[in-house]
Amino acid sequence: MRIGIGNQFLNQLRRRLSHPTACLPERRITWKYASCTQQQASSSSNLRQIIFSGIQPTGIPHLGNYFGALQQWVKIQDGATSTTDLFFSIVDLHAMTLPYDQAGLRLQKRQTLAALLAVGLDPERSTIFFQSAVPAHTELMWILSCTASVGYLSRMTQWKSKLAMSDSIALSDPDAKAKLKLGLFSYPVLQSADILLYRATHVPVGHDQAQHLEFARENVKNFNAAHGQFFTEPQTVMSPAKRVMSLKDPRVKMSKSHEDPRSRILLNDSPEMIQMKIKAALTDSIDGLYYHPEQRPGVSNLLMLMSYMDACQRSVEQIAAEGQALSMRAFKEEVAETLIKGMAELKERYDYFMDDAQSQYLRDVAAKGDEKARLKAEETMVLVREIVGIDGL
């Protein structure tokens, strides 16, 4: 009965939101990269597929975020059939697990939403929403916490890396006891709730997030063992291995946590900024060009970046072979020029959505996505509350 009411609300919402949206600049970005296989995105043409993924609002995405996740989201969206529901969340509650600036978080949420629209996510096709706008995320987290394993959580590496601790450190260690907060320790349970709340069948993740999806499946098993078969274990959609490394320390991934801002290229960097960062990128003094991440991590990273953005879709080997006569300076200039051309439309769209004139449009997109997510979440929670015995008297 309650699910029927939820569907009625959803139909009402669709009617309310059927008015024309604001005029957008023409989306001219050409997605020339290989997409996920249909096998990954759909295990059966007869079943409705639900895809969920999230991104923390850490501000303007860099090229590592773009090639590692956001570009893939757009490919999944553009290749999805009408039997696929898409949920992409800005997971702002996860951004609270370490000390943060409140005003900065508000700005970063806006920047992240603008970036999702800039890369090509369509709010008419995908549900784009803020995690904190859907209270059911934390409600389901608590319910899952009641059957989640502390031992499993203690072995996970994310809280250790966030606190710059060894992977072998134990919860009983005095340093861990002093620094570790409950939010950081338990946030994988919230991640599980994020996924299960929408009954996701498939979750696109990078290699560094595979452990968290395994934990989500563990939570499914624990919940079902305690309350009966309900949740289905989500499948992994592994993103192609497009790892972008730091420009200043090319043996580690590009990250906003690096102290040197020249280590990363942001989606809204100006041509002058891109040229400066590529010019300052760490390389080596070996003659010639060839791709070898172990021997030449800096050069290999630049070759990979150039290949990702190359208009002719050349491989790193082709680029290296054609650039053998180039000095390192000349090679860096070509890399910078390729990135400037390849990122021009991304930057144009991002700047458009961040303009003050688009503030109301961003709020409208968020409000629409938040409400759609709340309605979908409530359909799940009506059943969960009944299963665990808190649905009333």
Side-chain angles (χ1 to χ4, degrees):
M1 181 64 181
R2 294 184 183 178
I3 292 180
I5 292 173
N7 287 333
Q8 182 182 354
F9 286 162
L10 185 56
N11 291 332
Q12 292 173 351
L13 174 67
R14 285 173 178 150
R15 287 194 292 271
R16 293 200 307 269
L17 296 174
S18 61
H19 58 79
T21 57
C23 180
L24 300 179
E26 180 185 359
R27 180 164 166 256
R28 297 167 293 161
I29 300 174
T30 301
W31 305 105
K32 57 186 173 58
Y33 307 97
S35 63
C36 280
T37 64
Q38 286 289 13
Q39 233 177 359
Q40 281 182 304
S42 175
S43 60
S44 171
S45 59
N46 298 321
L47 297 177
R48 189 157 199 88
Q49 305 300 316
I50 301 173
I51 294 175
F52 175 91
S53 199
I55 183 173
Q56 282 202 40
T58 55
I60 306 165
H62 53 65
L63 285 184
N65 303 134
Y66 174 63
F67 289 120
L70 302 184
Q71 185 191 69
Q72 197 62 28
W73 290 7
V74 175
K75 292 179 179 305
I76 290 172
Q77 170 192 267
D78 292 352
T81 67
S82 59
T83 59
T84 301
D85 295 329
L86 302 157
F87 292 88
F88 297 113
S89 180
I90 299 171
V91 289
D92 45 352
L93 295 176
H94 289 295
M96 299 171 64
T97 57
L98 293 173
Y100 68 97
D101 174 69
Q102 290 86 348
L105 178 58
R106 292 188 189 96
L107 173 61
Q108 289 168 345
K109 289 174 62 175
R110 175 186 168 93
Q111 291 171 330
T112 305
L113 178 57
L116 295 186
L117 299 175
V119 301
L121 285 186
D122 180 0
E124 296 300 320
R125 179 64 185 91
S126 299
T127 300
I128 306 169
F129 67 101
F130 288 108
Q131 177 194 37
S132 62
V134 185
H137 281 263
T138 50
E139 181 183 2
L140 183 57
M141 178 199 179
W142 175 253
I143 293 172
L144 294 177
S145 296
C146 295
T147 55
S149 167
V150 171
Y152 200 122
L153 280 169
S154 69
R155 293 189 295 273
M156 298 187 77
T157 59
Q158 195 75 358
W159 66 267
K160 301 171 185 179
S161 64
K162 290 285 187 182
L163 297 177
M165 294 179 173
S166 167
D167 285 350
S168 62
I169 199 167
L171 279 178
S172 57
D173 185 280
D175 198 27
K177 286 183 177 180
K179 295 181 180 179
L180 182 60
K181 306 300 182 185
L182 179 59
L184 179 59
F185 180 69
S186 64
Y187 91 93
V189 185
L190 180 56
Q191 277 190 323
S192 297
D194 297 339
I195 296 165
L196 300 180
L197 189 58
Y198 303 96
R199 314 292 289 277
T201 58
H202 296 79
V203 182
V205 295
H207 292 276
D208 56 345
Q209 288 293 315
Q211 183 185 55
H212 295 280
L213 197 51
E214 286 298 326
F215 182 66
R217 286 192 277 264
E218 178 73 11
N219 280 322
V220 168
K221 294 174 184 175
N222 293 341
F223 180 91
N224 289 347
H227 302 290
Q229 189 67 31
F230 177 69
F231 286 118
T232 301
E233 294 183 27
Q235 297 182 37
T236 301
V237 179
M238 192 64 71
S239 298
K242 286 189 173 181
R243 289 170 64 87
V244 178
M245 313 308 283
S246 165
L247 297 178
K248 301 304 291 182
D249 186 3
R251 294 193 183 277
V252 301
K253 288 200 310 179
M254 185 174 287
S255 170
K256 293 195 183 88
S257 62
H258 196 286
E259 60 185 12
D260 190 341
R262 298 176 301 171
S263 68
R264 52 196 173 271
I265 293 177
L266 305 180
L267 292 192
N268 72 331
D269 274 347
S270 66
E272 295 75 20
M273 187 68 70
I274 294 172
Q275 289 172 334
M276 181 272 290
K277 290 179 177 180
I278 295 299
K279 183 178 180 180
L282 182 65
T283 50
D284 56 54
S285 57
I286 301 174
D287 291 336
L289 294 176
Y290 60 88
Y291 181 76
H292 197 300
E294 292 300 319
Q295 293 180 4
R296 308 187 72 183
V299 169
S300 297
N301 190 38
L302 295 183
L303 283 168
M304 190 65 77
L305 277 174
M306 190 169 178
S307 177
Y308 289 162
M309 283 287 186
D310 186 58
C312 299
Q313 303 184 48
R314 291 176 297 170
S315 67
V316 290
E317 291 78 13
Q318 288 175 307
I319 293 173
E322 294 173 19
Q324 283 301 315
L326 295 176
S327 65
M328 190 57 64
R329 178 178 178 177
F331 169 59
K332 286 185 174 182
E333 289 174 352
E334 287 209 4
V335 174
E337 187 62 26
T338 298
L339 294 182
I340 290 168
K341 289 180 180 178
M343 294 175 61
E345 292 179 25
L346 282 172
K347 173 176 167 51
E348 178 187 355
R349 286 175 60 82
Y350 176 81
D351 290 344
Y352 173 86
F353 287 118
M354 282 299 293
D355 189 276
D356 288 343
Q358 296 306 312
S359 295
Q360 187 58 51
Y361 177 71
L362 290 183
R363 286 192 288 270
D364 290 344
V365 168
K368 177 181 176 180
D370 294 346
E371 185 65 13
K372 287 174 66 177
R374 280 194 292 268
L375 290 171
K376 179 66 175 179
E378 185 59 19
E379 290 184 359
T380 299
M381 292 310 300
V382 164
L383 298 174
V384 169
R385 294 182 197 114
E386 181 180 355
I387 289 169
V388 302
I390 59 171
D391 58 330
L393 300 178

